């Protein structure tokens, strides 16, 4: 075995199943004690909490009365500990441009930008929308919001003007921060133009901060240049003392209804949980070069590109662009040249790399890698094996991590040192009480399929859905008393959990959650469409692809032109990643007698599977 063998990795002294079991069972027996001890040890608080946990079902609070600012944990404390010159972020793109910023420089930029935001009137509790490329400035903007108590709402740069507008309106953002473009396969993809379209006629937006990536050009009313705003600001910004339960950010995600929900995360529990899971799941060490390939527009980017790694003082790589451009081994080159030691990505990306073949892996030296991770969807066992063999030199641990936007951090994981089971997410993280149950909430037997639930609130659990607390309550009421994840799972005799996928109408394309209803709503705004149903179909690379069934209004005829027009419409309404791969024109859709579209029947027919119980079908 090489020096990087699984054995070399330790979870404290917890590199054996028995030790995991012992610590896990202690953490479940007394979660408050467990989290309080870690919170004290790992996180800097300006005032200690009075009460660790409060649960007025379904609402809960952690570290009640505690005060902190997450940016102090991510920046100041490292600089104070003498790590000011350590590289915090290492940015690369498809042209191999490289920009490094140290913890000291990052703190300085965050302070100045925070003062800039203050000068525009942004105050504690104000919402700020970010629609930015994956660049260091995006991290600066997120942290600057947090520094002054502003609540960021990052919108992924692939979303359309319409989707962006909805999120700006729903969150009531006063300020939008954007960049002129983002780089994708050699093409500058316009972001600023999308913002212009999104905010047309919106009075709520008072300022637009623009990161101008080419020579600065004239900006119009309400617009301010990113660096102009930062330029003459004071180099220190007193961190706003936040309550542990004050919101840190809002992030929209798809659900089974038509409208995306604004998941709200708070400061204290989220700081602690993302810090601790990053540290333990990835076995963080002082000289690690850590690369999580996610975009901060998704939760993985928030927790494991920005907050978790910075809180641990690690050096993180940020890469703007796609895995296979300009060459199929673009990412491999980065791993080799930057000596990446922790690599965390999605099954979709791995499947894409695998498709190009291992000959590209063989050209590169991956000996710097110590830990591999995966997130976003179930990983196929053969893809897991390929990942470990060809990227992980055959013996590096592959940490599968199951979690959600709502959970804030890893819930079910393969911890380093514990047995690796390809295709199984692993065991619950410390303090996380999970179960697999039937509709009535009763545990199902070992190796039987059921609903994955979490039995008690954990520190980084969502606290509400913005402007819609009822929707939050649904998570805890779907099956009374427990958090309903929406996933099907199976638990084996060792307690390892295999996540099977969604039990609701959520589709996962390249690990991104898309609600069928959201896409159907957009389809219905097309002038020719009278009814629509959307299902996910298996896809070799992206996990699932989108198929839609469309019933046309009288006077409209099926045809290629209409197919293309509907595709363009969806791209305009939501995002290009949502554009259906297949559009089938139908005479009618299977519905229940109460008129609900039976997507599961459409799916079963499409996949030539058993259609199941059809007793409620309106025939
Ligand atoms: O279905 C599960 C799947 O992704 C959903 C959460 O999506 P989102 O909120 O966008 O967050 C993705 C990144 C954390 C889950 O309900 N999922 C996520 N990770 C895994 C997974 N399914 C299986 N295995 C995973 N490791």
């Amino acid at each position: 075995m090489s020096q990087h063998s699984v054995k070399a990795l330790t979870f404290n002294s917890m590199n054996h199943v028995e030790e995991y079991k012992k610590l896990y069972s202690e953490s479940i027996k007394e979660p408050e004690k467990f989290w309080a001890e870690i919170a004290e040890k790992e996180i800097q608080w300006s005032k200690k909490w009075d009460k660790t946990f409060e649960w007025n079902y379904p609402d809960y609070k952690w570290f009640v009365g505690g005060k902190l600012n997450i940016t102090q944990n991510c920046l100041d404390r490292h600089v104070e500990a003498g790590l000011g010159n350590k590289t915090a972020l290492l940015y690369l793109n498809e042209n191999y441009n490289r920009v490094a910023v140290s913890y000291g420089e990052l703190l300085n930029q965050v302070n100045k930008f925070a003062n800039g935001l203050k000068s525009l009137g942004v105050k504690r509790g104000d919402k700020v929308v970010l629609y930015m490329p994956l660049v260091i400035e995006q991290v600066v903007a997120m942290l600057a919001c947090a520094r002054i108590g502003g609540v960021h709402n990052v919108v992924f740069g692939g979303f359309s003007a319409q989707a962006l507008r909805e999120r700006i309106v729903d969150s009531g953002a006063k300020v939008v921060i954007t960049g002129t473009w983002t780089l994708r396969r050699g093409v500058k993809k316009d972001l600023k133009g999308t913002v212009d379209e999104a905010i047309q006629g919106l009075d709520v937006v008072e300022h637009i901060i623009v990161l101008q990536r080419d020579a600065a050009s004239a900006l119009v009313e309400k617009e301010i240049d990113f660096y102009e705003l930062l330029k003459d600001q004071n180099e220190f910004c007193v961190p706003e003392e936040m309550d542990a339960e004050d919101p840190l950010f809002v992030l929209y995600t798809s659900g089974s209804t038509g409208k995306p929900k604004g998941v709200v995360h708070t400061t204290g529990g989220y700081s602690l949980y993302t810090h601790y899971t990053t540290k333990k799941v990835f076995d963080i060490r002082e000289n690690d070069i850590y690369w999580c390939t996610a975009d901060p527009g998704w939760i993985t980017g928030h927790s494991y590109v920005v907050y978790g790694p910075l809180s641990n003082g690690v050096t993180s790589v940020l890469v703007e662009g796609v895995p296979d451009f300009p060459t199929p081994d673009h990412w491999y080159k980065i791993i080799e040249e930057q000596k990446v030691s922790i690599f965390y990505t999605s099954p979709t990306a791995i499947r894409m790399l695998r498709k190009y073949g291992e000959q590209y892996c063989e050209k590169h030296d991956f000996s710097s890698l110590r830990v591999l991770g995966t997130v976003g969807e179930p990983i196929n066992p053969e893809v897991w094996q390929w990942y470990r063999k060809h990227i992980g030199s055959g013996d590096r641990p592959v940490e599968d991590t199951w979690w959600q936007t709502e959970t804030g951090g890893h819930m079910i994981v393969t911890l380093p040192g514990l047995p690796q089971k390809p295709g199984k997410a692993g065991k619950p993280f410390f303090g996380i009480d999970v179960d697999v149950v039937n509709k009535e909430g009763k545990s199902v037997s070992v190796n039987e399929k059921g609903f994955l639930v979490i039995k008690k609130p954990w520190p980084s659990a969502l606290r509400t859905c913005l402007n819609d607390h009822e929707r939050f309550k649904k998570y805890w009421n779907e099956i009374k008393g427990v958090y309903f994840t929406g996933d099907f799972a199976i638990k084996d005799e060792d307690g390892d959990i295999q996540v099977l996928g969604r039990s609701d109408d959520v589709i996962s394309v390249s690990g991104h959650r898309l609600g069928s209803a959201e896409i159907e709503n957009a389809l219905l705004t097309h002038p020719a469409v009278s009814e629509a149903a959307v299902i996910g179909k298996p896809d070799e690379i992206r996990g699932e692809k989108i198929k839609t069934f469309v019933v046309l209004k009288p006077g409209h005829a099926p045809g290629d032109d209409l197919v293309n027009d509907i595709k363009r419409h969806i791209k305009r309404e939501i995002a290009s990643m949502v554009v259906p791969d297949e559009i089938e024109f139908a005479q009618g859709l299977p519905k229940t007698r109460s008129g609900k579209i039976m997507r599961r029947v459409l799916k079963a027919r499409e996949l030539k599977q058993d259609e199941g119980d059809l007793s409620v079908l309106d025939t």
Side-chain angles (χ1 to χ4, degrees), residues 53 89 122 129 133 170 186 267 276 284 313 339 415 444 494 571:
F53 179 57
L89 300 172
V122 180
V129 162
D170 197 60
T267 310
Y276 193 61
I284 293 284
K339 300 199 169 23
L415 285 167
V444 299
D494 302 325
K571 185 172 171 183

Side-chain angles (χ1 to χ4, degrees), residues 28 48 138 183 189-190 313 426 447 461 464-465 540 548 567 614:
I28 293 299
K48 199 185 160 180
Q138 182 172 24
L183 204 53
K189 216 181 131 273
D190 184 26
N447 289 326
T464 187
C465 294
E540 208 189 316
T548 75
K567 287 186 175 179
L614 295 179

Side-chain angles (χ1 to χ4, degrees), residues 300 375-378 400-405 487 499 502 513:
T300 309
V375 57
E377 55 188 306
D400 196 348
T401 60
W402 174 89
W403 59 295
Q404 308 178 300
T405 306
D487 280 334
V499 178
R502 302 290 303 189
R513 247 163 86 170

Side-chain angles (χ1 to χ4, degrees), residues 78 90 253 323 443 451 487 497 528 568 571:
H78 305 313
L90 198 57
T253 188
S443 305
F451 298 101
D487 280 334
I497 290 173
R568 272 195 300 274
K571 185 172 171 183

Side-chain angles (χ1 to χ4, degrees), residues 163-456:
L164 174 61
R165 184 183 177 91
E166 276 171 29
R167 286 155 177 77
I168 294 172
V169 171
D170 197 60
S171 65
K174 276 176 115 165
V175 173
V176 177
I177 309 174
T178 189
T180 37
W181 44 261
T182 182
L183 204 53
R184 218 179 146 82
R185 297 190 188 281
V187 178
K188 289 178 181 174
K189 216 181 131 273
D190 184 26
L191 293 177
K192 169 67 168 43
T194 310
V195 172
D196 291 343
E197 203 185 323
I199 60 157
Q200 256 177 37
L202 275 189
D203 292 337
V204 56
V205 178
E206 294 169 13
H207 303 283
I208 301 131
I209 303 169
V210 188
L211 174 70
Q212 303 198 76
R213 306 188 72 183
D214 300 312
S217 63
L219 296 172
V220 298
E221 191 206 8
K222 290 190 181 183
E223 297 176 348
I224 312 140
D225 178 84
F226 189 99
Y227 280 103
E228 205 43 47
L229 178 67
L230 189 145
K231 201 174 74 189
D232 296 321
Q233 299 294 341
N234 198 314
E235 296 202 349
F236 188 69
C237 172
V238 179
E240 188 77 16
E241 194 180 50
M242 304 304 286
D243 192 277
E245 283 295 316
D246 276 333
L248 174 65
F249 66 86
V250 182
L251 185 63
Y252 284 82
T253 188
S254 299
S256 45
T257 65
K259 200 169 162 274
K261 46 198 162 185
V263 168
V264 177
H265 282 289
T266 50
T267 310
Y270 180 85
S271 297
L272 166 70
Y273 199 83
T274 51
H275 171 92
Y276 193 61
T277 46
T278 305
K279 181 170 175 162
K280 293 300 172 189
V281 173
F282 299 118
D283 182 37
I284 293 284
R285 297 177 190 182
E286 203 182 314
N287 295 323
D288 271 324
I289 307 289
Y290 168 100
W291 183 15
C292 166
T293 64
D295 186 288
W298 308 103
I299 191 68
T300 309
H302 281 60
S303 302
Y304 299 109
V305 172
V306 181
Y307 291 112
L310 290 175
S311 183
N312 280 283
V314 81
T315 298
S316 267
V317 176
L318 302 180
V319 179
E320 183 181 14
V322 294
D324 58 343
F325 187 89
T327 54
D329 60 346
H330 176 54
W331 276 13
Y332 301 156
K333 259 191 190 162
I334 295 174
I335 293 174
E336 179 174 5
E337 284 169 14
Q338 306 308 322
K339 300 199 169 23
V340 171
S341 55
I342 301 171
F343 182 62
Y344 186 35
T345 192
S346 65
T348 291
I350 305 164
R351 287 192 293 257
M352 184 198 264
L353 297 172
R354 178 173 172 259
K355 194 185 77 181
Y356 285 112
E358 41 274 16
Q359 69 276 18
Y360 287 101
C361 304
E362 282 152 16
K363 291 201 302 194
H364 296 277
D365 175 7
F366 293 147
S367 59
S368 60
L369 286 173
R370 201 180 76 248
V371 180
L372 306 177
T374 156
V375 57
E377 55 188 306
I379 181 162
N380 332 58
E382 63 279 17
V383 174
W384 189 104
Q385 298 284 12
W386 185 89
Y387 187 28
R388 187 174 210 197
K389 180 167 180 205
H390 296 288
I391 300 182
S393 305
D395 64 358
R396 310 303 198 261
V398 176
E399 317 286 304
D400 196 348
T401 60
W402 174 89
W403 59 295
Q404 308 178 300
T405 306
E406 294 87 341
T407 70
H410 301 146
M411 297 278 107
I412 298 174
V413 294
T414 322
L415 285 167
L418 291 184
Q420 310 266 303
K421 294 188 186 174
K424 295 198 177 175
K427 294 185 178 13
F429 191 72
F430 301 104
I432 306 300
D433 199 355
V434 307
D435 201 1
V436 180
V437 301
N438 63 18
K439 266 190 189 146
E440 287 70 47
K442 269 195 69 184
S443 305
V444 299
S445 314
V446 161
N447 289 326
E448 199 183 308
K449 176 176 165 181
F451 298 101
L452 181 63
V453 297
I454 305 172
K455 286 156 79 178
K456 268 196 194 144

